[in-house]
Amino acid sequence: MRAMLISLVLLLTACSPAESSTENTNVDLAFLLNNQRLVATTPKEIVPPLAVKVYSLTENGECDNGKCPQTQLYIAVSQYGEIPQQTYYVTEKQPNLTFEHWDWMKTTKYSEKRPSVSFVVSYSENGKKVLETITVDMSDVHYETMAQK
């Protein structure tokens, strides 16, 4: 009987609700965590010099009178290894900012001096599509506008 009573007490305490965590008040972080989208990851089969993940975050809302919510990219950069150095970059907000493709030719060129990865994005500016190459390494990000269509 005593063993059954102890088992019942243990069962009841195990099923009791846990204490709730404190409410987080960082609205920007909550928006980021709930709305970011992973849009690109460096493919492992190409063996890039760095691991790069590109996340997209678009403001809430809809297009109105030709003005649409803006998007920015969060770029996570990591070395390979057991204890890799890691960093991140955040682009400026642009209308219709979109990841286009990895730029492996530029990645190969830059990696001779120091490991870096390049990719191409596009966005709208004055009704025209702008292509831009973004090159990231462990200490810097570089933007190079390529063309307008």
Side-chain angles (χ1 to χ4, degrees):
M1 177 73 167
R2 184 174 180 184
M4 197 160 75
L5 184 59
I6 292 173
S7 298
L8 183 60
V9 169
L10 289 175
L11 180 64
L12 289 174
T13 57
C15 295
S16 65
E19 291 183 32
S20 62
S21 61
T22 59
E23 184 177 331
N24 294 314
T25 57
N26 187 333
V27 176
D28 292 334
L29 180 59
F31 182 78
L32 171 71
L33 294 173
N34 283 293
N35 296 290
Q36 70 181 341
R37 229 175 19 98
L38 178 63
V39 294
T41 302
T42 48
K44 290 184 179 13
E45 61 272 7
I46 296 178
V47 190
L50 298 169
V52 177
K53 292 181 181 179
V54 181
Y55 296 89
S56 174
L57 184 66
T58 302
E59 297 172 332
N60 282 331
E62 297 177 7
C63 294
D64 185 28
N65 292 328
K67 186 173 181 176
C68 295
Q70 297 201 347
T71 301
Q72 65 187 148
L73 301 178
Y74 286 74
I75 307 161
V77 183
S78 178
Q79 294 176 329
Y80 292 104
E82 277 188 44
I83 306 173
Q85 182 182 353
Q86 298 178 327
T87 190
Y88 73 96
Y89 304 101
V90 182
T91 66
E92 290 186 23
K93 292 179 182 179
Q94 298 286 356
N96 301 317
L97 183 59
T98 306
F99 177 91
E100 294 288 334
H101 59 84
W102 298 106
D103 188 341
W104 296 117
M105 295 298 287
K106 196 162 249 189
T107 294
T108 303
K109 175 183 167 191
Y110 279 96
S111 64
E112 293 170 5
K113 296 179 184 176
R114 64 184 191 203
S116 63
V117 173
S118 295
F119 57 93
V120 176
V121 298
S122 66
Y123 58 89
S124 299
E125 187 174 83
N126 299 323
K128 294 183 179 181
K129 183 177 181 178
V130 177
L131 295 175
E132 186 172 69
T133 300
I134 299 176
T135 302
V136 294
D137 61 34
M138 294 311 300
S139 60
D140 196 18
V141 60
H142 176 73
Y143 300 90
E144 179 184 339
T145 302
M146 295 170 42
Q148 290 187 349
K149 293 183 179 180

